[in-house]
């Protein structure tokens, strides 16, 4: 299994379980994540979800080794946005990383340790809150390889932390640590290294004590959704042409051993 699913009380914990790849999402994992969060929405016994990663990292993005192969290109083609798509809430669609075109009525908390970079940063931004271990690192590391943000990163990051700070991350690709992410508004709470999941679970259990109809109404009202979100995600998806022009070559360079460990020198 490339994901783990656990229910504690009324909280569902979804874990990306590919620690050998720093929890990078491959074409087999993405639809499982999408289905796991659809199940959260449909399960009346669940009020809040947590997304986390197994081992030392949250998610290192889309698996560039898979992206360099035929399976990666086939999956990108499979998640094309239909021209008549207008609402992620009522017309949920899988994105390249899984749930990025799914709007839940229930809150999702990211419990982030280690790397949350490239598509992993986009997954963290898809969540409604981010509880972050002190050694976490965020970054648009895919900048090195000509792989664009196509899972909502250009849509959600400016709304979370402002256009200028989002530009700083999106255009430079540089690593951003937990404390700087807190100053940016990207991290909502910073806890000691290794404590993110326990802290997120405590927050989630607190949310479960509230009247849920009111909580979900406020939650949905506070977030971008409907035709506005769909139009923004469709506009972002146009960048997939850059992946076809540059990203496949960049993914092959990564698969060949360049730029490992987040390095920016050997790219």
């Amino acid at each position: 299994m490339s994901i783990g699913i656990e229910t504690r009380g009324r909280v569902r914990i979804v874990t990306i379980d590919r620690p050998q790849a720093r929890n990078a999402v491959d074409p087999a994992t993405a639809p499982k994540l999408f289905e796991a969060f659809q199940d959260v929405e449909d399960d009346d016994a669940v009020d809040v979800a947590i997304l986390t990663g197994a081992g030392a990292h949250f998610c290192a993005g889309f698996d560039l080794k898979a992206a360099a192969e035929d399976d990666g290109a086939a999956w990108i083609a499979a998640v094309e946005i239909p021209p008549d798509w207008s609402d992620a809430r009522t017309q949920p669609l899988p994105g390249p990383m899984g749930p990025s075109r799914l709007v839940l009525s229930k809150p999702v908390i990211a419990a982030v340790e280690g790397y949350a970079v490239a598509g992993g940063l986009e997954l963290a931004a898809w969540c409604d809150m981010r509880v972050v271990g002190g050694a976490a690192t965020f970054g648009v590391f895919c900048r090195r390889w000509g792989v664009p943000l196509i899972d909502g990163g250009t849509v959600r990051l400016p709304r979370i932390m402002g256009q200028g700070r989002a530009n700083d991350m999106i255009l430079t690709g540089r690593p951003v640590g937990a404390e700087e992410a807190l100053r940016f508004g990207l991290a909502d709470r910073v806890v000691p290294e290794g404590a993110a999941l326990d802290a997120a679970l405590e927050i989630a259990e607190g949310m479960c004590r509230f009247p849920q109809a009111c909580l979900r109404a406020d939650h949905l009202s506070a977030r971008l959704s409907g035709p506005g979100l769909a139009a923004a995600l469709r506009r972002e998806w146009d960048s997939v042409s850059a992946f076809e022009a540059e990203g496949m070559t960049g993914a092959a360079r990564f698969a060949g051993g360049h730029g490992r460990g987040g390095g920016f020198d050997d790219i």
Side-chain angles (χ1 to χ4, degrees), residues 51-66:
L51 175 60
T52 193
H57 298 286
F58 179 74
C59 175
F62 194 77
D63 190 328
L64 290 184
K65 289 183 178 179

Side-chain angles (χ1 to χ4, degrees), residues 127-233:
C127 296
D128 303 297
M129 293 180 63
R130 285 150 294 280
V131 179
V132 177
T137 298
F138 298 91
V140 185
F141 283 12
C142 50
R143 179 61 55 236
R144 302 168 297 165
W145 309 118
V147 176
L149 297 173
I150 50 176
D151 270 276
T154 66
V155 175
R156 295 183 174 101
L157 289 173
R159 288 167 173 80
I160 290 170
M161 55 187 182
Q163 189 68 59
R165 286 171 169 169
N167 287 347
D168 186 354
M169 294 189 70
I170 291 169
L171 300 179
T172 70
R174 70 179 180 87
V176 170
E179 292 298 332
E180 186 174 16
L182 183 65
R183 294 196 299 273
F184 276 10
L186 178 59
D188 297 297
R189 305 192 191 187
V190 174
V191 297
E193 181 180 2
L197 179 56
D198 286 343
L201 185 60
E202 182 178 357
I203 295 167
E205 289 171 341
M207 290 180 183
C208 292
R209 293 197 294 267
F210 297 129
Q212 291 299 301
C214 178
L215 183 146
R216 291 176 195 172
D218 286 348
H219 168 56
L220 283 171
S221 180
R223 68 189 305 181
L224 178 66
S225 61
L229 174 61
L233 290 175

